[in-house]
Amino acid sequence: MKHNRFIALDIETTGLEKDSNDIIEIGLALFENELLKDTYSSFIKPNTNIPKRIEELTGISNETVEHAPKINEVIDDIKGFIGNNIIVAHNANFDIYFIKKHIPELDNEVADTLLLSRILLPQEHRFSLSMLIELFGIENHAAHRALYDAIACGELFLKLIPYGGGIKENEWTILKDAEKYNPCGINILYNFERHNSKDIPLSLKNYFLHGKSAVSKKKDSIENIFSKDGYIGEKLSNFENRNQQMTLAKDIMDSLNRNEFLITESGTGTGKTFAYLFPSVQYSLENNKRIIISTQTKSLQNQLFEKDLPFVFNYFDNIPSAQILKGRRNYICLFKWQELLDYMPVLSKFDVELIQKLIIWVSRTKSGDIDEISNIDMQRENYLWNKIKCDDFFCLKAKCPFYKNCFFINARRNARKANIAIINHSLLFSDAKNVNIILGQYKDLIIDEAHNIEKSATTNIGVTLSLKELEFILGSLSSKKSIFIKHLKKSVDITIANKINRISSDMLSHINYVFYLARDKYIENIKNRPFRYNNIVDLLKTMDESFNNCMPLFTKLINIFHELENLLSENNDLEVRLNLESKRMEIEELQSKINKLFIPYDDNTCYYMEYNERTKSIKLSGVPIQIGQILDDILYSKVDSIITTTGTCSINNEFSYFLERTGLNLYEEKSITKIYKSPFDYDSQLKTVICEFIPSPTDPSYYNDITMAIKAIVQSIPRKTMILTTSYHMLNELYDSLFPFAENLGIQLLAQGKGRSRSRIIDKFKSSHQALLLGTDSFWEGIDLPGKMLETLIIPKLPFPVPDNPIVESRSNKLNEMGKKAFDEYIVPEMILKTKQGSGRLIRTTYDRGILFILDSRIYSRNYGKRVLNEIPGKLHRVSSFYMFSQFLKGKENETD
């Protein structure tokens, strides 16, 4: 039966606690044949006072509802309006729960636009009602008011209905099956009248590029490719001859041919991407050797593959081949996915919801890479992804029924035979640590965004263990509801299964004790910041006692798994045997991690603990303090040539700091270092204003003064402005201070962590007429906003590393022990390089003009100031008083474009 009529519902409440909070407003909207036909709304007088935060959110105060009816006085009106119609709501479980408290017999069909949106729009980042109606251009005259939100929800549902026509029959089959265990209204959507159908908006890529021929044709010299009359000049209308680009490309080709290490810094506008791609491809074809290209960010990985490489490949008549490759755990395992679908009847609603959100993507993806979609929260739902991702332990290999279609196997196979493999630093260093198990052997490596080598290597060479990981691995053995244990009881003696269950439960109790003790006693006292736990004697003692009791249990459990594997060696149930082997290997890996993390003795390791208050996640890490020798052992000594490219690794025109931090100083004899200056005329394109009158960041008036300066800048220079902060604390302080100011002027204030993803914030900033963007750490690099998309950049505070960050503290201590001055030789250089990164966001083309404001007077009051000034681009303006600052801004007000 086809539907064409529904009631959209929204309520406002005194809070989120379903049992103790009350409805304060209800809105109902009747839609029929895609038109709004009727509405009902009423304030409701609650049994308790309305909290201040709810009043601020909704605008509904105690005075508003003082003379409003009680819920029982209007319940018949509500029942009469709803009738037996379909109910549509956003996060429907919440609204329906409150309604059912007063209408317990309510059994209408319900469609939830929140979950339906997550199913139908898998590449969206945010699914709040406000975000979705903005996406579809739906007007909402009063957010967080029940009737207006109900109408907006109804209109959102109407926008989703056509996408139902884009769902394939095999997808409908699974979605309808999942509906039995976690209702979301997919059956309603299926049966709704559709006057038109829309394809599900999914941007999916084939992550292997391959050409027509295996024979390379003779091409021009590298120099000619980059000339005005060469290939690039012919193809790109806005191409400008850049000697730096041509020289860099030639140097890269020479270094590859000579098996050298070429360490480069390329200023903004050099064109380093084409400068390394063309010689890489040509060298690979001429020498039948593959080249690994590693980037820090996935966005650059995608740009290289989707935009830059196809352009380069056309020059070579599409002969070369290339593959994007990420770590194994980024890819979905089709065998595990099918197994999860088979067990839907015994899964929790939360597990089924993950299945619902992935069904359409899994059915259509060519890559199997989870980064391709955005509708799951990897922090909150990571343990669910663990159930279906490819991993190092469970793999049927060629015996898997999905082997030919395995996303990871195919990506790895292609990467090993392709001319170019595009990877990220995380995979580069973790695979090097594991003896190139994924990438195989290679001899030529290009590292882009090389300023991140130390940071990325530190993270990926180290050991990390979270409480969630522990609970996931041991919970799969200790839970009475464990699918694995149920399998085991059917396949082997039930006594053995119960023994595994009991031992795992004991282990989890021991380990949980340590984690929760650390959380309750230490983390909360240290205000939820990371801390070095090996410095806390009584915590170490507790760890030692707990894990001394736990280690024999590890041995027992591993021995039981070995016995079971031998017992089932002739068994035809391959899945059971592989599950056993997988679980044993997971337990062995867990034991290895615990040995490394809970017996801290290595003086080149920083041991620290973190607690995420939002996710309630506790994590322990052990990471190398100095990585140079480690990288030599696992990476540098195994390749013939390395090319590093970045915009920021030199200080005072030399590379000693970068070489020492990365261990590349061990290869000085075969290394060449070279700076390729930016082609931009910074003195004419960029004005840099340093405000000497702003007090030190430790001064109580600091935030007041920088806020006043920022307001003056924005008012005098009404253009797009970005503020780079050094912490979320600073970002939040500035956001709260600037919000009323921006709202009053009609300026859009965008901020990291305030409801939008990083990419959505940047997109919104680009499309706005005038906006103010507040960003912290990840906004200091990797953002390209040329021309009028960004004309003013403000750095309120020099970006010094946080001194009590465990890794920074450990590295500082190590340098001090070696007789060096950590502040001068580590802290200040790190700050300088990050300042260079940040200031590089402003001038991106030869046509850009901009102003950089640095509101940190320490540049002139501290000894390190001259070192900072040497690295800051642009024509310098030193303002020593607010009057001088005002005069400068007044001059900018009078300038015309």
Side-chain angles (χ1 to χ4, degrees), residues 335 339 343 393-394 396 477 483-493 497 500 561 564-584:
F335 185 90
E339 187 178 44
Y343 286 103
F393 306 119
F394 183 91
L396 297 170
L477 302 175
I483 295 173
F484 173 77
I485 291 296
K486 286 178 181 177
H487 262 183
L488 213 55
K489 285 179 178 179
K490 290 179 182 177
S491 306
V492 298
D493 190 318
I500 290 173
F561 276 113
L564 284 174
E565 287 172 52
N566 292 333
L567 182 68
L568 296 175
S569 59
E570 302 302 320
N571 193 313
N572 291 326
D573 194 341
L574 182 63
E575 183 184 338
V576 174
R577 284 164 46 202
L578 280 165
N579 261 311
L580 281 169
E581 183 183 0
S582 164
K583 292 296 178 186
R584 173 181 55 78

Side-chain angles (χ1 to χ4, degrees), residues 256-428:
L256 288 170
N257 281 316
R258 295 170 185 162
N259 293 333
E260 295 172 338
F261 286 13
L262 177 63
I263 318 301
T264 73
E265 178 180 273
S266 307
T268 307
T270 303
K272 64 182 174 63
T273 302
F274 282 160
Y276 67 69
L277 284 180
F278 276 98
S280 298
V281 174
Q282 186 161 323
Y283 174 81
S284 173
L285 291 170
E286 289 175 351
N287 295 277
N288 195 28
K289 294 174 73 175
R290 70 181 177 131
I291 293 189
I292 306 294
I293 298 177
S294 181
T295 74
Q296 172 69 10
T297 59
K298 291 173 183 175
S299 59
L300 181 53
Q301 234 185 324
N302 292 333
Q303 179 191 310
L304 289 177
F305 194 81
E306 295 166 16
K307 180 183 174 185
D308 300 324
L309 270 177
F311 178 83
V312 174
F313 278 16
N314 281 336
Y315 171 76
F316 295 97
D317 296 322
N318 285 325
I319 294 165
S321 57
Q323 171 71 41
I324 274 189
L325 182 63
K326 298 176 184 176
R328 185 191 295 263
R329 296 180 182 188
N330 286 275
Y331 300 90
I332 191 167
C333 170
L334 292 172
F335 185 90
K336 288 183 178 181
W337 170 252
Q338 187 58 55
E339 187 178 44
L340 199 66
L341 294 181
D342 293 340
Y343 286 103
M344 260 201 289
V346 297
L347 297 178
S348 69
K349 281 190 172 185
F350 198 50
D351 288 10
V352 176
E353 184 176 324
L354 178 75
I355 290 174
Q356 290 169 310
K357 290 188 284 186
L358 293 178
I359 287 168
I360 289 173
W361 172 71
V362 174
S363 163
R364 305 180 187 208
T365 181
K366 299 173 185 176
S367 72
D369 176 4
I370 192 62
D371 287 330
E372 202 168 45
I373 59 170
S374 313
N375 63 346
I376 63 172
D377 181 344
M378 289 306 288
Q379 281 192 313
R380 191 171 63 94
E381 297 174 301
N382 188 49
Y383 86 96
L384 294 170
W385 173 246
N386 284 335
K387 294 182 180 182
I388 51 175
K389 70 185 181 186
C390 292
D391 63 43
D392 299 323
F393 306 119
F394 183 91
C395 183
L396 297 170
K397 299 183 174 63
K399 294 178 181 177
C400 177
F402 301 98
Y403 184 73
K404 287 184 179 179
N405 298 314
C406 176
F407 297 114
F408 173 71
I409 294 294
N410 287 334
R412 185 179 67 176
R413 184 187 300 119
N414 289 335
R416 288 191 174 193
K417 69 182 182 184
N419 297 102
I420 306 292
I422 307 290
I423 67 168
N424 54 52
H425 294 354
S426 177
L427 174 58
L428 174 68

